[in-house]
Amino acid sequence: MVCKRRRCFLLNSCSIKIRYNLMKRIQIKIPILLFFFAIHLFALQGEPWQTKPSIRKKINFNSEWLFFRGQIEDDAAKNPSFDDTNWISIHLPHSPELLPLRPLWKSDRVGINWYRKYFKLPDRYKNLKIYIEFEGADKVSDVWLNGIHLVTNKGAYLPFTVDITDYVKSGSKNNVLVVKVSNLNDKDIPVYASWISFGGLYRDVWLHITDRLHVTDAIYANKVAGGGIFVTYPKVTPSLTQIRVKTNIQNEYKQKKDCTIQTHLMDSELRKVITVQARYNVEGGQDHTFDQFLKVMDCHLWHPNDPYLYTLQTEIYTDDKLVDTYQTRIGIRRIQFTHKHGLLINDKPFWFMGTNRVQEYPYVVWAFPNSAQRRDAILLKEAGFQYVRSSHNPQDPAFLDACDELGVLVMDCIPGFQFIGNTQFLEYSYQNMRDMIRRDRNHPSVILWELSLNETDFDSSFARMAVQIGHEEYPGDQCFVSGWKFPSIYDVFIRATQHGARDCTQKTPLVISEYGHWDYGGGNSTSDVDRKDGEIAMLVQVQNHQESLNLNRKLPFLCGDGLWVGIDFQFFPSGVMDYFRIPKFSYYLYQSQRDPNHIIHGIDSGPMVFVANYWTEMSPCTVMVFSNCDRINLYLNGQFIASQKPDNGIFTEHLLHPPFTFHDIPFKPGELKAIGYMDNEKVASHSRRTPGQAEFIDLRFDLKGAAMANGEDMFFVYASVVDENGTIVRDVQKEILFGVTGSGILISPERVETEAGTAAALVRTTIQSGQIVIRAKTEGFKEAVASKNCIK
């Protein structure tokens, strides 16, 4: 079949040839020919996409839930007439309880969590298919609708879908959805670790409405390398790319349906590039998988430094009526892992520098919204990280979406850590492998599937089964399964430095899974540093990270690495950012490793300079500056002190951009300023000013734009004690009293102690648009007030 765009190209090519011959005969000059050629190129740009109405609806189901924690008899709780007047009203994502700032590793906060939701469906949804999708529930979930038990799901991190079509009422009648979520200990279920579980409906819930002839859900369909939409790339070159799209269609009607599928490829501006079409008569009660191929000339390839995304628009017709649409964002790229050349992306080497991420937030632990997931991805990208290992469980879909957009590579990890159970445990683990790949296989950011139980003594039969499952679910040469044991079995060997990663002699491609922490003191690692520990402690963490990163980069066969960790979690202050996402000095060491010539719109990128010194009487007289510039000039109170090139020593020789160390700088109160130069041109600077007497409280938000009035948006407010110049006075320890009015509520405690001069509050939006007003006060200071718009 010749697509419309290709046909347009042929017609226009013929037209140009005719015009050219005509112009030649009448001796029209070349500029006029160029004018017609420009018109031709414009015609090839494609037309803006016009969205067509579809029956399919994806409705956010997070609001208006009731919650109760405790033991209730199932037969009583599932009854639609059950008295729930003493239950509390909540909004998802939800944590069963607000935890202390740094909860203990061994949590005894297990129990039964009950959720109820009343809802009505309009009559227009009658005779359609109705599903409810739970993105994440920890960890044994029972679901009832109108008193009828529909499913028991076991697992904490991957979604499950419930077909409620035959049990839901439409019209004016109320439906009662009841969900029991138990996080009692169960050694049959692989979770982050057998003792870490916070419970609850901690991710989004969605209501899906489709025609009875529809694109299936990949996990619900439960087909090997099938179900839903599966996009692969048999051939990827800059000049010609072949895209293979497998689309699974279910016919829930009793009679046969003549099904026509149109698959449209749209560019980043939603202009149509190419369309393919196919037809098939799908028997009643049966499904069919369409296998379509799209050939694209001169396509824009996806790369971490250029994360270009296309959109596939799938349209399903029967009897010339559009009955279903489905959109899939894709990035076209080709990856290879080799021992000799490391990771190749689109046939070019890419040596990635990354980190580990634990899905955790202050107070609400796992239950934080899509907006905060995205902000974490941005912070990690701005830190210079190009890769994230999802330790030790699949991440929220919103985080992966952000990684696709930002160009952050991901190693997707099954649940499991330091524990392996019996046969039932293994079966659940194998199913987790399949479900994770089915959920995440179309994300261009996902380059590795960690199908091993981290730091767990599994045997070779488990490893072989894991690799088999990985390649069954993702056939072809673009699936790479990684494991921390058995390098001769896994496609990619992942190893922590504390487990001898740098001493590997095997020929399997290597990714260092963890480094920079356990090597420096084990459980009492000197890399565990709070901001309140001060400059010296943070500089020790910098030294650990710098030394480790340099040693990693020394390995000629390394594909990339992942620092342990990017963001603090629980009582482990191991991150380059603390629990409240406030950077430590190490954050800027990694940021300085980024390419100064690579600018990303809307993201902190390009040249940078950071002075790792607070410039007080107690500060080190050695001043370390992180920068990706060629040269740093240092000034004190406007007077030139020194100019320096990057350090050249035993722990810097393999860094892309070593630090700049200025020794024996005599202290004098005032402004210490570092200016970065590239090719003798000033491109970046950073200043430190000696703090004076504390004068007032400064409030700032971790939001760049408005907050969303959806009842779930969540963000930090930082209250810093500052002097008259706005410099943070870090040695002042105060208890800040926070208050929130308007369209937000305070999640964190009202009273918070400052750490290094700053206290952080956690605020959640309501469903009402308007102003969120934040107040912060402490003894001896005027109350600070700031506001933020909250919009629908």
Side-chain angles (χ1 to χ4, degrees), residues 261-279:
I261 180 173
Q262 289 185 0
T263 301
H264 311 276
L265 179 68
M266 298 179 288
D267 66 15
S268 63
E269 297 180 6
L270 298 184
R271 296 176 301 191
K272 187 161 59 176
V273 176
I274 189 171
T275 296
V276 292
Q277 180 174 300
R279 293 181 62 185

mmCIF file of all heavy atoms in Angstrom, residues 261-279:
data_model
loop_
_atom_site.group_PDB
_atom_site.id
_atom_site.type_symbol
_atom_site.label_atom_id
_atom_site.label_comp_id
_atom_site.label_asym_id
_atom_site.label_seq_id
_atom_site.Cartn_x
_atom_site.Cartn_y
_atom_site.Cartn_z
ATOM 1 N N ILE A 261 -8.225 -0.999 10.757
ATOM 2 C CA ILE A 261 -7.307 -0.268 11.624
ATOM 3 C C ILE A 261 -6.490 0.705 10.795
ATOM 4 O O ILE A 261 -5.975 0.352 9.730
ATOM 5 C CB ILE A 261 -6.373 -1.232 12.397
ATOM 6 C CG1 ILE A 261 -5.430 -0.448 13.304
ATOM 7 C CG2 ILE A 261 -5.604 -2.146 11.473
ATOM 8 C CD1 ILE A 261 -4.587 -1.302 14.228
ATOM 9 N N GLN A 262 -6.432 1.946 11.262
ATOM 10 C CA GLN A 262 -5.557 2.943 10.661
ATOM 11 C C GLN A 262 -4.528 3.345 11.715
ATOM 12 O O GLN A 262 -4.879 3.696 12.846
ATOM 13 C CB GLN A 262 -6.334 4.180 10.218
ATOM 14 C CG GLN A 262 -7.227 3.962 9.009
ATOM 15 C CD GLN A 262 -7.889 5.249 8.537
ATOM 16 O OE1 GLN A 262 -7.676 6.316 9.112
ATOM 17 N NE2 GLN A 262 -8.689 5.141 7.492
ATOM 18 N N THR A 263 -3.267 3.271 11.339
ATOM 19 C CA THR A 263 -2.184 3.663 12.234
ATOM 20 C C THR A 263 -1.479 4.860 11.618
ATOM 21 O O THR A 263 -0.953 4.779 10.511
ATOM 22 C CB THR A 263 -1.198 2.512 12.446
ATOM 23 O OG1 THR A 263 -1.901 1.389 13.009
ATOM 24 C CG2 THR A 263 -0.081 2.922 13.391
ATOM 25 N N HIS A 264 -1.520 5.972 12.341
ATOM 26 C CA HIS A 264 -0.936 7.221 11.863
ATOM 27 C C HIS A 264 0.306 7.532 12.695
ATOM 28 O O HIS A 264 0.250 7.504 13.930
ATOM 29 C CB HIS A 264 -1.919 8.387 12.003
ATOM 30 C CG HIS A 264 -3.283 8.109 11.462
ATOM 31 N ND1 HIS A 264 -3.615 8.248 10.124
ATOM 32 C CD2 HIS A 264 -4.425 7.682 12.074
ATOM 33 C CE1 HIS A 264 -4.887 7.944 9.945
ATOM 34 N NE2 HIS A 264 -5.401 7.584 11.115
ATOM 35 N N LEU A 265 1.394 7.852 12.034
ATOM 36 C CA LEU A 265 2.586 8.325 12.723
ATOM 37 C C LEU A 265 2.617 9.844 12.654
ATOM 38 O O LEU A 265 2.536 10.431 11.559
ATOM 39 C CB LEU A 265 3.856 7.755 12.089
ATOM 40 C CG LEU A 265 5.178 8.204 12.729
ATOM 41 C CD1 LEU A 265 5.311 7.627 14.140
ATOM 42 C CD2 LEU A 265 6.369 7.807 11.869
ATOM 43 N N MET A 266 2.705 10.499 13.823
ATOM 44 C CA MET A 266 2.739 11.959 13.889
ATOM 45 C C MET A 266 4.055 12.416 14.505
ATOM 46 O O MET A 266 4.583 11.763 15.417
ATOM 47 C CB MET A 266 1.557 12.469 14.706
ATOM 48 C CG MET A 266 0.207 12.122 14.102
ATOM 49 S SD MET A 266 -1.173 12.703 15.111
ATOM 50 C CE MET A 266 -1.102 11.570 16.488
ATOM 51 N N ASP A 267 4.552 13.541 14.033
ATOM 52 C CA ASP A 267 5.805 14.063 14.567
ATOM 53 C C ASP A 267 5.563 14.782 15.891
ATOM 54 O O ASP A 267 4.445 14.770 16.426
ATOM 55 C CB ASP A 267 6.501 14.953 13.533
ATOM 56 C CG ASP A 267 5.731 16.233 13.213
ATOM 57 O OD1 ASP A 267 4.803 16.591 13.969
ATOM 58 O OD2 ASP A 267 6.049 16.880 12.195
ATOM 59 N N SER A 268 6.584 15.441 16.412
ATOM 60 C CA SER A 268 6.478 16.062 17.735
ATOM 61 C C SER A 268 5.480 17.210 17.764
ATOM 62 O O SER A 268 5.007 17.592 18.840
ATOM 63 C CB SER A 268 7.845 16.557 18.197
ATOM 64 O OG SER A 268 8.323 17.567 17.321
ATOM 65 N N GLU A 269 5.152 17.773 16.619
ATOM 66 C CA GLU A 269 4.163 18.841 16.540
ATOM 67 C C GLU A 269 2.804 18.321 16.080
ATOM 68 O O GLU A 269 1.939 19.082 15.658
ATOM 69 C CB GLU A 269 4.658 19.943 15.601
ATOM 70 C CG GLU A 269 5.934 20.611 16.101
ATOM 71 C CD GLU A 269 6.428 21.704 15.173
ATOM 72 O OE1 GLU A 269 5.710 22.023 14.200
ATOM 73 O OE2 GLU A 269 7.515 22.238 15.420
ATOM 74 N N LEU A 270 2.652 16.989 16.169
ATOM 75 C CA LEU A 270 1.410 16.289 15.822
ATOM 76 C C LEU A 270 0.997 16.524 14.371
ATOM 77 O O LEU A 270 -0.189 16.618 14.044
ATOM 78 C CB LEU A 270 0.276 16.679 16.779
ATOM 79 C CG LEU A 270 0.501 16.325 18.250
ATOM 80 C CD1 LEU A 270 -0.722 16.662 19.086
ATOM 81 C CD2 LEU A 270 0.839 14.838 18.403
ATOM 82 N N ARG A 271 2.008 16.594 13.489
ATOM 83 C CA ARG A 271 1.744 16.617 12.053
ATOM 84 C C ARG A 271 1.895 15.202 11.522
ATOM 85 O O ARG A 271 2.842 14.495 11.874
ATOM 86 C CB ARG A 271 2.711 17.563 11.339
ATOM 87 C CG ARG A 271 2.553 19.022 11.751
ATOM 88 C CD ARG A 271 3.599 19.889 11.100
ATOM 89 N NE ARG A 271 4.946 19.450 11.444
ATOM 90 C CZ ARG A 271 6.050 20.153 11.187
ATOM 91 N NH1 ARG A 271 5.951 21.320 10.591
ATOM 92 N NH2 ARG A 271 7.239 19.688 11.521
ATOM 93 N N LYS A 272 0.977 14.811 10.670
ATOM 94 C CA LYS A 272 0.964 13.433 10.177
ATOM 95 C C LYS A 272 2.137 13.194 9.236
ATOM 96 O O LYS A 272 2.381 13.956 8.313
ATOM 97 C CB LYS A 272 -0.366 13.138 9.486
ATOM 98 C CG LYS A 272 -0.535 11.684 9.082
ATOM 99 C CD LYS A 272 -1.979 11.323 8.834
ATOM 100 C CE LYS A 272 -2.594 12.163 7.736
ATOM 101 N NZ LYS A 272 -3.979 11.734 7.452
ATOM 102 N N VAL A 273 2.848 12.094 9.490
ATOM 103 C CA VAL A 273 4.000 11.721 8.680
ATOM 104 C C VAL A 273 3.629 10.617 7.701
ATOM 105 O O VAL A 273 3.950 10.680 6.515
ATOM 106 C CB VAL A 273 5.166 11.266 9.587
ATOM 107 C CG1 VAL A 273 6.340 10.777 8.759
ATOM 108 C CG2 VAL A 273 5.593 12.398 10.512
ATOM 109 N N ILE A 274 2.948 9.605 8.186
ATOM 110 C CA ILE A 274 2.595 8.462 7.344
ATOM 111 C C ILE A 274 1.413 7.737 7.964
ATOM 112 O O ILE A 274 1.221 7.763 9.191
ATOM 113 C CB ILE A 274 3.804 7.510 7.187
ATOM 114 C CG1 ILE A 274 3.520 6.425 6.145
ATOM 115 C CG2 ILE A 274 4.201 6.898 8.512
ATOM 116 C CD1 ILE A 274 4.746 5.586 5.799
ATOM 117 N N THR A 275 0.607 7.088 7.122
ATOM 118 C CA THR A 275 -0.542 6.305 7.570
ATOM 119 C C THR A 275 -0.530 4.943 6.889
ATOM 120 O O THR A 275 -0.260 4.842 5.680
ATOM 121 C CB THR A 275 -1.868 7.020 7.230
ATOM 122 O OG1 THR A 275 -1.936 8.243 7.960
ATOM 123 C CG2 THR A 275 -3.072 6.155 7.597
ATOM 124 N N VAL A 276 -0.794 3.889 7.653
ATOM 125 C CA VAL A 276 -1.010 2.559 7.072
ATOM 126 C C VAL A 276 -2.365 2.045 7.555
ATOM 127 O O VAL A 276 -2.862 2.447 8.611
ATOM 128 C CB VAL A 276 0.104 1.570 7.457
ATOM 129 C CG1 VAL A 276 1.420 1.963 6.818
ATOM 130 C CG2 VAL A 276 0.259 1.484 8.971
ATOM 131 N N GLN A 277 -2.943 1.168 6.771
ATOM 132 C CA GLN A 277 -4.305 0.680 7.051
ATOM 133 C C GLN A 277 -4.393 -0.811 6.774
ATOM 134 O O GLN A 277 -3.703 -1.338 5.893
ATOM 135 C CB GLN A 277 -5.305 1.448 6.189
ATOM 136 C CG GLN A 277 -6.760 1.026 6.378
ATOM 137 C CD GLN A 277 -7.717 1.921 5.613
ATOM 138 O OE1 GLN A 277 -7.766 3.121 5.841
ATOM 139 N NE2 GLN A 277 -8.474 1.340 4.683
ATOM 140 N N ALA A 278 -5.240 -1.495 7.533
ATOM 141 C CA ALA A 278 -5.464 -2.926 7.312
ATOM 142 C C ALA A 278 -6.886 -3.270 7.743
ATOM 143 O O ALA A 278 -7.517 -2.536 8.511
ATOM 144 C CB ALA A 278 -4.454 -3.762 8.092
ATOM 145 N N ARG A 279 -7.378 -4.419 7.235
ATOM 146 C CA ARG A 279 -8.740 -4.880 7.583
ATOM 147 C C ARG A 279 -8.697 -6.347 7.957
ATOM 148 O O ARG A 279 -7.881 -7.114 7.462
ATOM 149 C CB ARG A 279 -9.707 -4.680 6.410
ATOM 150 C CG ARG A 279 -9.991 -3.230 6.064
ATOM 151 C CD ARG A 279 -10.968 -3.133 4.901
ATOM 152 N NE ARG A 279 -12.255 -3.723 5.235
ATOM 153 C CZ ARG A 279 -13.262 -3.850 4.358
ATOM 154 N NH1 ARG A 279 -13.101 -3.441 3.110
ATOM 155 N NH2 ARG A 279 -14.409 -4.383 4.742
#
